[in-house]
Amino acid sequence: MAPKLKMKVCSLSGVKTLGLQLLSSRDYINNLPRLLSIVSPTYPPNLVLECLLFLQSFFLPLLPDLPSSSSSPLDISSHDPQLIYRAWVRLKFDDFIKSLIDVFVSPQSDETLKEVVLDAIMEFVKVANGGKFSSSIYHKLLHSIVHSSDAVLLGVELLSSKYFRYMDVRYFTYISLGRFARTLEGKVISDFKMAKEDGINESPLNPSLDHVICNLYCIISHVFPLESLEKPSRPSIEMWSESAGVLSRECDHEHHPEEVTSADAIAKKMKSKLTKAWISYLRLPLPLDVYKEVLVNLHQAVIPHLTKPNMLCDFLTRSFDVGGVISVMALSGLHVLMTQHGLDYPNFYEKLYALLVPSIFMAKHRAKFFQLLDSCLKSPLLPAYLAASFVKKLSRLLLSVSPSGALVIIALIHNLLRRHPSINCLVHREDGDEEGKDESKTNTVISDKIDDSKTSAMPCQKSGIDHFNNGETNPKKSMAMSSSLWEMDTILQHYCPPVSRFALSLGTDLTVRARTSEMKVEDYSSGSYATVFGEEIRRRVKQVPLAFYKATPSSLFSETDSAGWNFKLEAEIAQEINERDISEHFYSPAKRQRKDGP
């Protein structure tokens, strides 16, 4: 028997002594629990690293001979000492993996320690299952990350930068995340049923559940997309483990041994697992910040890689029906499904029309929204009343938005008038007396067979009346075809010179498509006061208006410019009032009479 070690364990020299003895002989096997106890976030990093190296060197040669974790821990009836020893070492190995995972997810561990620990865990994932990918160890790692109550971004970024480039790591990541999402979905449903039995119509808020959902998104959003599988090559199917395990068994190599075919089969399996993971995740009650981020990235990072993108139609249509900023963010994904995957959404244009409110011009994602709005209204099959409703709604917004918003509206109206000649009647309407002269040019919806007396009584010909209903949410009932774009004449007098100059482009005959071209909405969609001002000061002008003053002006406007208005500062007005009150108090006739006396 080895002599009892009488030295302080919690020192670097003591750890080295215990580790060297453990590696030298089985007689020092009792040093194993003592070293395992040091692998903890509460110990100094240098001691943890030293123990990790010794324990890794101890377990790696023994892993092929150890029983699986699913077998019974210790068979008391067995008299084989080797079997009992291997089963006990297997238990200690499982404890070692658990301790490593605890160190990895702990906020007390620094980045260097986390990286070394992650490398050790992934090395065991690589070799612990007989050379195949150990999905059980990897599942435990992801489970701890997902259910961690602390920030997990650092650990996820380490995992992503070093291991998500391997196909089998990504494959089993999607499998584990799909399981977590389905488990959480079942928990949410059960909580809702219990709340409903208690008379509560909504599921109670659970902050820990929201945190788990955020951690899930942190992992699933860091998994690399599958562009590398579109053109199979050797690096695109790089595996972490020597044998691909499940991937090798599930992909058919018997009839198609070529590398390209096997890569295609792996790509199909990857897309299948990716689809299941994302669909399961999107069924969860996402927190608002995660919900917005998912909608923003869905059309680029997820939809192109799904086996059936139309499976997202329910999620996107529900999001688009919410209204406000959520609808704006859902528009990108919905537009992809409608234009590329044949999704039919009957009330799409009504919902899109309802989004045209002044607040949309201050939204964070307004640039993308205006580009998609222009794209959605590009079809020549759009009914005239619908195009007219959008043009009229946009022109009414011209009167209340900022200069940058006015520029993008003018660009949108310009494109709509050019694409749909049937609504050019809105640009200029004559009175009822001249209806017969201009009816052929304006192409109104009024029939040519109606006589002049009846036509003159139509509401659209009443001078000074705009029958467009700006508050109507249904474009069919907005009566836009009975109106005119009088707002465009008003905007020619806009206080901002770039807006008034840009509005002149609508005065050309846009029905002659050969002489005009569409405007690029993206050039104006992300504008602001700063961009408008910057473009104006960079603009070269040939004639500069000059103003001469005999005295330096103290205000922007003078009282002679606007009779009855006072443009002085509040402080100056208050001072004049005080001086007048003092003058009236001391120098009024009544005061002087009392002072002089009889």
Side-chain angles (χ1 to χ4, degrees):
M1 293 294 292
K4 187 176 292 186
L5 185 63
K6 297 180 180 180
M7 63 168 44
K8 200 171 183 179
V9 177
C10 294
S11 64
L12 191 58
S13 59
V15 169
K16 289 183 178 180
T17 303
L18 290 176
L20 292 174
Q21 290 177 347
L22 179 64
L23 296 177
S24 64
S25 174
R26 189 182 292 186
D27 295 338
Y28 295 95
I29 192 61
N30 289 329
N31 291 355
L32 179 59
R34 303 174 70 179
L35 291 173
L36 286 174
S37 64
I38 302 177
V39 183
S40 171
T42 59
Y43 279 85
N46 58 339
L47 296 182
V48 176
L49 288 175
E50 197 69 26
C51 286
L52 187 153
L53 296 175
F54 283 116
L55 293 173
Q56 189 175 9
S57 301
F58 173 77
F59 282 115
L60 280 176
L62 299 178
L63 284 178
D65 299 328
L66 297 182
S68 62
S69 300
S70 58
S71 58
S72 57
L74 285 175
D75 190 359
I76 304 300
S77 61
S78 175
H79 298 286
D80 186 0
Q82 292 296 329
L83 180 61
I84 297 175
Y85 171 77
R86 288 194 296 268
W88 181 80
V89 173
R90 180 69 201 198
L91 289 176
K92 296 305 175 183
F93 175 73
D94 294 339
D95 295 340
F96 179 48
I97 294 296
K98 182 179 181 303
S99 300
L100 289 177
I101 295 175
D102 292 340
V103 173
F104 179 73
V105 299
S106 174
Q108 303 176 16
S109 305
D110 57 12
E111 184 176 358
T112 303
L113 180 60
K114 284 178 178 287
E115 185 174 1
V116 175
V117 169
L118 178 61
D119 292 340
I121 295 173
M122 294 305 295
E123 185 65 25
F124 288 124
V125 169
K126 185 176 185 179
V127 301
N129 191 25
K132 300 177 183 178
F133 195 95
S134 179
S135 58
S136 60
I137 297 178
Y138 189 64
H139 184 80
K140 292 177 183 178
L141 173 64
L142 294 181
H143 184 275
S144 298
I145 296 176
V146 168
H147 293 84
S148 174
S149 58
D150 302 303
V152 298
L153 181 59
L154 177 59
V156 173
E157 288 179 346
L158 284 174
L159 187 62
S160 173
S161 61
K162 302 191 69 173
Y163 297 102
F164 278 171
R165 62 190 177 93
Y166 298 105
M167 293 301 300
D168 49 354
V169 175
R170 278 186 278 176
Y171 181 84
F172 287 102
T173 300
Y174 285 130
I175 291 178
S176 296
L177 295 181
R179 291 176 182 173
F180 298 147
R182 288 187 288 272
T183 302
L184 288 176
E185 182 185 6
K187 185 177 184 302
V188 170
I189 294 175
S190 62
D191 291 346
F192 179 77
K193 289 182 179 179
M194 292 177 61
K196 195 172 183 180
E197 292 176 358
D198 296 337
I200 304 175
N201 293 329
E202 295 182 359
S203 179
L205 297 177
N206 190 348
S208 61
L209 179 62
D210 289 348
H211 190 73
V212 171
I213 294 175
C214 291
N215 291 345
L216 266 175
Y217 179 73
C218 183
I219 299 176
I220 200 171
S221 61
H222 277 79
V223 182
F224 296 158
L226 302 175
E227 284 90 352
S228 59
L229 292 178
E230 301 299 331
K231 296 180 180 179
S233 59
R234 173 68 66 179
S236 66
I237 55 172
E238 185 179 3
M239 301 292 180
W240 171 242
S241 57
E242 295 181 1
S243 176
V246 175
L247 279 174
S248 297
R249 293 194 301 270
E250 291 185 350
C251 300
D252 185 12
H253 299 283
E254 183 177 354
H255 302 288
H256 305 283
E258 295 85 358
E259 180 184 356
V260 173
T261 305
S262 62
D264 290 339
I266 292 176
K268 290 180 181 179
K269 297 301 298 183
M270 285 290 297
K271 279 193 172 186
S272 175
K273 298 304 179 183
L274 181 149
T275 302
K276 290 181 180 179
W278 270 105
I279 296 300
S280 300
Y281 179 76
L282 293 178
R283 292 196 185 106
L284 298 175
L286 306 181
L288 184 59
D289 54 342
V290 176
Y291 192 16
K292 293 179 179 180
E293 191 170 351
V294 167
L295 290 175
V296 169
N297 300 321
L298 206 61
H299 66 288
Q300 291 180 339
V302 180
I303 292 179
H305 311 296
L306 297 179
T307 54
K308 296 180 179 179
N310 282 341
M311 296 175 70
L312 292 178
C313 65
D314 291 338
F315 174 78
L316 289 173
T317 52
R318 286 197 306 266
S319 302
F320 194 66
D321 292 340
V322 171
V325 68
I326 298 296
S327 296
V328 174
M329 294 177 174
L331 182 59
S332 298
L334 200 59
H335 180 262
V336 171
L337 294 186
M338 293 177 63
T339 56
Q340 300 179 17
H341 302 283
L343 176 65
D344 185 18
Y345 187 19
N347 299 325
F348 173 74
Y349 285 101
E350 293 183 14
K351 300 292 183 181
L352 186 62
Y353 183 80
L355 294 177
L356 296 178
V357 293
S359 60
I360 198 66
F361 293 87
M362 304 301 294
K364 181 179 179 181
H365 304 282
R366 62 185 182 276
K368 186 65 176 178
F369 170 75
F370 291 132
Q371 296 173 29
L372 290 174
L373 176 64
D374 182 62
S375 179
C376 292
L377 299 175
K378 190 173 290 186
S379 173
L381 302 178
L382 210 63
Y385 78 88
L386 194 59
S389 297
F390 276 93
V391 168
K392 185 61 182 177
K393 185 74 171 182
L394 289 169
S395 60
R396 186 62 61 88
L397 289 171
L398 267 175
L399 306 178
S400 58
V401 300
S402 62
S404 59
L407 293 176
V408 69
I409 286 179
I410 294 173
L412 288 168
I413 293 177
H414 178 279
N415 292 343
L416 284 170
L417 291 176
R418 185 178 181 274
R419 295 166 187 164
H420 308 282
S422 60
I423 65 172
N424 273 267
C425 60
L426 302 178
V427 177
H428 181 68
R429 282 194 187 277
E430 295 291 347
D431 291 337
D433 296 337
E434 300 180 2
E435 174 67 20
K437 299 179 182 179
D438 299 316
E439 191 168 9
S440 60
K441 180 177 67 175
T442 56
N443 192 20
T444 60
V445 295
I446 306 172
S447 174
D448 293 337
K449 298 181 180 180
I450 301 178
D451 55 8
D452 292 342
S453 60
K454 293 182 180 181
T455 304
S456 61
M458 295 296 291
C460 64
Q461 305 304 327
K462 292 184 179 180
S463 178
I465 297 179
D466 187 358
H467 292 276
F468 173 69
N469 187 356
N470 191 44
E472 177 61 51
T473 58
N474 189 348
K476 292 182 180 179
K477 303 177 182 179
S478 65
M479 300 183 66
M481 291 296 293
S482 300
S483 181
S484 65
L485 299 182
W486 57 265
E487 298 90 350
M488 301 310 302
D489 185 66
T490 304
I491 213 66
L492 292 175
Q493 311 299 325
H494 199 278
Y495 72 91
C496 185
V499 176
S500 58
R501 287 196 304 268
F502 195 30
L504 292 174
S505 63
L506 298 177
T508 59
D509 188 3
L510 298 177
T511 58
V512 184
R513 298 175 61 89
R515 298 180 182 178
T516 59
S517 60
E518 287 196 0
M519 293 185 176
K520 295 182 179 180
V521 176
E522 56 268 20
D523 295 341
Y524 310 95
S525 57
S526 57
S528 62
Y529 281 105
T531 58
V532 173
F533 182 75
E535 290 293 332
E536 189 66 13
I537 62 176
R538 285 192 295 269
R539 180 173 173 265
R540 299 182 62 181
V541 293
K542 296 180 180 179
Q543 296 180 353
V544 181
L546 302 176
F548 297 93
Y549 300 95
K550 295 181 180 180
T552 303
S554 60
S555 60
L556 183 61
F557 304 102
S558 64
E559 295 182 3
T560 58
D561 294 337
S562 301
W565 289 85
N566 195 325
F567 299 101
K568 294 182 178 180
L569 297 175
E570 293 183 1
E572 296 179 2
I573 297 175
Q575 184 178 359
E576 291 182 359
I577 294 175
N578 291 335
E579 291 177 355
R580 185 174 64 250
D581 292 343
I582 293 173
S583 176
E584 292 177 356
H585 179 76
F586 287 101
Y587 300 102
S588 63
K591 287 286 185 180
R592 287 199 302 269
Q593 184 178 1
R594 287 198 298 270
K595 183 176 181 181
D596 296 340

